[in-house]
Amino acid sequence: MRTKSPLHRHARGKRGHDSEKIADRYTTMKTRDGWGSGLAADIKTGILFCTRLPVPHSAPIDSGDVARASWAFPVAGALVGGAGALTYAIASGIRLPSALAAALALGATLLITGCLHEDGLADTADGLGGGRDRARKLEIMRDSRLGTYGVCALIMSLLLRWTALAAMAGPVVVASALIAAHVAARAALPVFMRFVPPARFDGLSAQAGQPALRSAAVAVLLGVLVLVTALGLAATIVGLVLATCAGLFVAWLSMRQIGGQTGDVLGALEQIIEIAILLTALAVSGTRP
């Protein structure tokens, strides 16, 4: 049995973690007396939603706050990718092998997110792969136990990301790839939440709400800017094509099998896009000599 991250635990109603738990753990500053305060509140909410970083807070998150703050998901992604990049740079600076440095960098990102998206990937693979019908698939996705499909999905995700990072030529390339991948993967989530309806009335995705078109557009703009800066125009075009294809496929699959998206599906999409961007960065930068 695996340990659920707090963000997923508050959406697991059958174990008593109902919506009131959101106020206990996921709270943020929501003062409305100025543009700067609202901006800071959105960034805090985005960080709390995407990571396990301790962020100062004062008032509970209400329905719709996450949707409004979804434009800031890429900001949280930059923090996660930056932590991985810093870890890799330190490991490389003390002359650890590239494979070990890559493993430590990947571990740093897992620590900051609490394996939130990996958990969603595993649940989605188990549910969509093992359920007989919609009700059973959603039931499996709520189950804390890890099945064969989930294990295989996790192994492939970790293996692909670790191999890509270990093969990249140096800390600068790794840093650019990590930040670009984590930003772009989270920039796609508001768009997905905007256009793919929740599969159930309770749970993480339903509680988060539907982002406004403006929030989704700002998130995508941030993602594109970071991709262009970190990887260049050609890699950005390839990455955007791959991310779009991934989003369309996951949307089609989730609509067909469970009638919409859930928090687990969002986590799975983040993982797929993160892998796609890392592989794109590797293809553009080349491998170690």
Side-chain angles (χ1 to χ4, degrees):
M1 181 179 294
R2 67 181 178 275
T3 302
K4 295 286 181 181
S5 67
L7 186 56
H8 274 69
R9 285 202 302 268
H10 80 63
R12 310 287 182 177
K14 70 177 183 179
R15 289 196 293 276
H17 295 279
D18 296 320
S19 59
E20 66 268 14
K21 290 294 183 180
I22 303 174
D24 295 337
R25 171 63 179 90
Y26 294 93
T27 54
T28 187
M29 189 74 67
K30 294 196 307 165
T31 53
R32 305 183 185 276
D33 55 355
W35 180 83
S37 296
L39 187 69
D42 284 354
I43 292 174
K44 289 180 180 180
T45 301
I47 293 172
L48 286 168
F49 187 81
C50 295
T51 76
R52 295 187 68 179
L53 293 173
V55 178
H57 57 270
S58 64
I61 291 179
D62 292 330
S63 175
D65 285 348
V66 172
R68 188 193 66 246
S70 60
W71 68 265
F73 289 177
V75 178
L79 293 177
V80 177
L86 178 60
T87 301
Y88 187 96
I90 294 173
S92 181
I94 60 177
R95 300 186 181 278
L96 293 180
S98 60
L100 182 54
L104 291 173
L106 184 57
T109 65
L110 298 178
L111 180 64
I112 289 179
T113 62
C115 300
L116 172 65
H117 308 297
E118 286 76 11
D119 179 80
L121 174 66
D123 282 345
T124 300
D126 279 337
L128 301 188
R132 298 181 302 274
D133 52 35
R134 178 181 182 276
R136 180 56 180 157
K137 291 175 189 293
L138 289 172
E139 180 184 354
I140 291 174
M141 291 170 73
R142 282 188 182 272
D143 197 332
S144 63
R145 290 171 295 182
L146 184 61
T148 302
Y149 289 106
V151 170
C152 292
L154 283 175
I155 290 174
M156 288 302 300
S157 174
L158 292 170
L159 184 61
L160 286 170
R161 287 181 288 163
W162 172 73
T163 303
L165 292 173
M168 290 180 188
V172 175
V173 175
V174 170
S176 298
L178 276 170
I179 293 173
H182 282 277
V183 168
R186 287 163 181 82
L189 301 186
V191 179
F192 197 82
M193 294 166 66
R194 167 74 184 177
F195 293 105
V196 182
R200 54 167 75 100
F201 294 110
D202 61 341
L204 173 63
S205 180
Q207 292 169 355
Q210 183 188 49
L213 185 59
R214 181 175 61 180
S215 295
V218 171
V220 170
L221 178 60
L222 291 175
V224 170
L225 289 175
V226 171
L227 279 174
V228 171
T229 302
L231 303 182
L233 181 58
T236 296
I237 294 174
V238 174
L240 289 176
V241 170
L242 292 176
T244 301
C245 290
L248 291 174
F249 173 73
V250 174
W252 171 81
L253 188 64
S254 59
M255 287 295 297
R256 179 182 176 86
Q257 296 210 21
I258 58 175
Q261 47 92 0
T262 67
D264 288 325
V265 172
L266 295 177
L269 178 62
E270 190 281 337
Q271 290 282 280
I272 294 170
I273 295 178
E274 186 181 328
I275 292 168
I277 298 301
L278 287 177
L279 294 178
T280 300
L282 176 61
V284 170
S285 66
T287 60
R288 285 178 175 271

